[in-house]
Amino acid sequence: MKNYSIAKSRRLRSTPYTSRIEKQGVTAYTVYNHMLLPAAFGSLEDSYHHLKEHVQIWDVAGERQVEISGKDSAKLVQLMTCRDLSKSKDGRCYYCPILDDEAGIINDPVVLRLNENRWWISIADSDVILFAKGLAIGNKFDVKITEPNVDIMAIQGPKSFKLMEKVFGDKITKLKFFGFDYFDFQGTKHLIAQSGWSKQGGYEIYVENTKSGLDLYDHLFDVGKEFNVKPGCPNLIERIESALLSFGNDMDNEDNPYECGFDKFINIDSDINFLGKEKLKNIKAEGIKKKLMGIKFDTKEISLSGSLDLKDENNNIIGELRSACYSPHFGKVIGIAMIKKPYWEVSQSVKAEINGNICTGNVCDLPFI
Ligand code: THG
């Protein structure tokens, strides 16, 4: 597949870190929430191995925040998600599918409860702010909805814990997974969560003070030398092996949360009010007809730029492949696919045309590992 350079403009927003990562060797961008999101620093496979062993600093400013504040903010946030937030706590993050009235997925953000009247929705790639504003206007909610200047920098990899301890002291080691708190860097407070879009562990720094954030970015590279710190970005191979889903790739508005395996984030039995609740009850009663599953192919190369039909031995279409990569762990191509109900059996054989050749493989459960 031939690649093309991306034409920058005001509409395709840069981040405060862009000039730095360009000096540091970014080689590919994707677009996320109308913003540049680095997609590669040279070989994906080299970055994958480095991420699993050392520590990386990522410019994930494209994970924008939708801030909802005001008297009705908790009501609006709850209206948007099927996850019960009635017992949520300040200083905690919640992975929350956002649904429309048909229970189709709008987004799968991390929701941060700053306090009962102030929330950040840390969004995947869709315009949640417009949806939130529409709901607030239609419901006459007393809320303020903005996209604040918050530019996340992620510190990911097994050595992220030692690196962050070196900068922020012992206190940061007490932070629990999906907890957040404020930490001082040279006199400026930064909101830091133990989270991130890899399964290698790490933190996300929600930078509000750009000047201090850039000083911190540089400082992390300075003091991180002993941990072999490198610039990086969400890694296609690591995230597929870890089955971290990507909105717009693995699922979209045509899919419901049951089909995506989000069962543990769905609360249809409590008395909370959210869009799509009745629809979800029906879906649960009837049962779903497609779901996300893994595929392993007996081939070593793939480059997907859209979805790919999957067929059985009789050429019946059994589903569609939505993301895929070569996995060093399995020594073959693996992928995430939406599979139709009659074909859910693990080890169901599949074939697909990859790079002009018919490749065979098998369906498996998610996560792969
Ligand atoms: N961090 C922040 N914002 C984000 C992302 C992020 N917004 C966009 C995108 N990523 C949202 N998608 C996800 C998907 C998975 C997770 C986080 C964001 C995740 N899942 C954990 C898991 O699957 O193990 C934990 C889920 C849980 O148990 O609550 O971390 O990365 N700020």
Side-chain angles (χ1 to χ4, degrees):
M1 191 171 63
K2 191 170 181 291
N3 276 315
Y4 295 85
S5 66
I6 200 162
K8 289 188 187 172
S9 66
R10 177 171 181 270
R11 178 170 58 71
L12 208 181
R13 302 176 289 178
S14 294
T15 89
Y17 315 110
T18 303
S19 62
R20 278 172 170 70
I21 64 171
E22 292 186 347
K23 279 195 201 105
Q24 289 172 313
V26 65
T27 53
Y29 283 119
T30 184
V31 179
Y32 203 78
N33 289 318
H34 317 275
M35 203 166 212
L36 292 171
L37 178 68
F41 285 79
S43 147
L44 279 191
E45 210 169 315
D46 290 350
S47 288
Y48 158 90
H49 290 296
H50 178 267
L51 172 62
K52 290 187 39 153
E53 215 174 313
H54 304 288
V55 51
Q56 297 182 351
I57 316 283
W58 297 359
D59 168 3
V60 282
E63 294 168 357
R64 303 309 292 166
Q65 307 309 301
V66 175
E67 175 169 315
I68 303 191
S69 60
K71 197 165 69 55
D72 293 327
S73 57
K75 218 194 273 180
L76 175 55
V77 174
Q78 184 62 82
L79 184 63
M80 291 196 283
T81 181
C82 54
R83 183 161 183 183
D84 187 347
L85 292 172
S86 62
K87 292 181 189 69
S88 59
K89 296 187 179 73
D90 296 356
R92 294 285 311 165
C93 303
Y94 300 88
Y95 184 43
C96 295
I98 292 188
L99 309 182
D100 64 18
D101 55 336
E102 289 290 311
I105 301 178
I106 293 277
N107 202 286
D108 69 329
V110 175
V111 171
L112 288 80
R113 182 170 137 151
L114 302 168
N115 62 56
E116 209 195 333
N117 294 317
R118 189 165 170 242
W119 305 71
W120 279 352
I121 306 180
S122 186
I123 59 173
D125 186 26
S126 72
D127 296 311
V128 171
I129 192 164
L130 305 180
F131 188 63
K133 284 188 182 199
L135 288 173
I137 296 164
N139 286 288
K140 298 189 168 53
F141 282 152
D142 181 358
V143 287
K144 193 170 155 216
I145 302 172
T146 62
E147 185 190 289
N149 288 321
V150 174
D151 299 289
I152 302 182
M153 164 187 359
I155 320 299
Q156 299 287 297
K159 296 183 184 167
S160 58
F161 300 96
K162 285 279 173 233
L163 172 57
M164 291 292 273
E165 187 180 357
K166 196 169 167 184
V167 177
F168 294 100
D170 186 46
K171 185 188 160 198
I172 200 143
T173 65
K174 309 280 188 299
L175 203 56
K176 294 201 177 80
F177 182 66
F178 264 40
F180 67 83
D181 206 343
Y182 294 85
F183 297 86
D184 180 87
F185 174 67
Q186 297 176 352
T188 302
K189 292 255 176 260
H190 292 275
L191 189 162
I192 304 181
Q194 200 206 303
S195 57
W197 212 55
S198 86
K199 285 272 192 181
Q200 307 311 312
Y203 299 90
E204 291 181 301
I205 309 174
Y206 288 72
V207 172
E208 292 177 86
N209 181 324
T210 305
K211 175 160 189 329
S212 173
L214 289 174
D215 289 345
L216 174 55
Y217 184 93
D218 296 336
H219 186 70
L220 285 162
F221 279 97
D222 276 348
V223 302
K225 289 194 184 91
E226 65 166 303
F227 306 113
N228 192 11
V229 66
K230 285 192 179 171
C233 54
N235 185 283
L236 182 73
I237 306 172
E238 195 278 340
R239 80 97 182 158
I240 293 179
E241 281 186 359
S242 301
L244 286 169
L245 300 183
S246 168
F247 180 79
N249 288 321
D250 305 318
M251 73 283 191
D252 59 33
N253 193 233
E254 301 295 312
D255 307 314
N256 72 54
Y258 286 117
E259 293 166 341
C260 301
F262 287 148
D263 301 55
K264 66 175 173 169
F265 307 117
I266 305 172
N267 300 103
I268 47 172
D269 297 324
S270 68
D271 58 8
I272 54 167
N273 182 31
F274 63 85
L275 290 173
K277 188 174 182 181
E278 289 311 310
K279 181 83 187 181
L280 277 185
K281 285 182 181 170
N282 294 339
I283 292 167
K284 187 161 189 213
E286 281 176 24
I288 52 172
K289 294 170 187 68
K290 58 182 168 76
K291 71 174 176 183
L292 287 181
M293 296 190 74
I295 308 281
K296 290 184 189 138
F297 284 106
D298 308 314
T299 185
K300 286 180 183 289
E301 228 188 296
I302 192 166
S303 157
L304 264 194
S305 58
S307 42
L308 194 65
D309 279 345
L310 296 172
K311 296 178 179 170
D312 70 1
E313 53 282 352
N314 301 319
N315 282 332
N316 297 309
I317 294 181
I318 71 160
E320 63 176 22
L321 186 65
R322 294 180 168 185
S323 296
C325 67
Y326 171 72
S327 158
H329 180 87
F330 292 105
K332 50 172 70 175
V333 166
I334 61 170
I336 298 172
M338 189 57 89
I339 302 291
K340 295 201 263 181
K341 184 166 183 182
Y343 307 99
W344 284 352
E345 233 144 280
V346 165
S347 82
Q348 160 77 44
S349 67
V350 302
K351 52 181 191 173
E353 193 182 317
I354 300 175
N355 312 326
N357 302 313
I358 303 293
C359 289
T360 56
N362 295 94
V363 170
C364 65
D365 282 324
L366 289 175
F368 296 98
I369 300 171

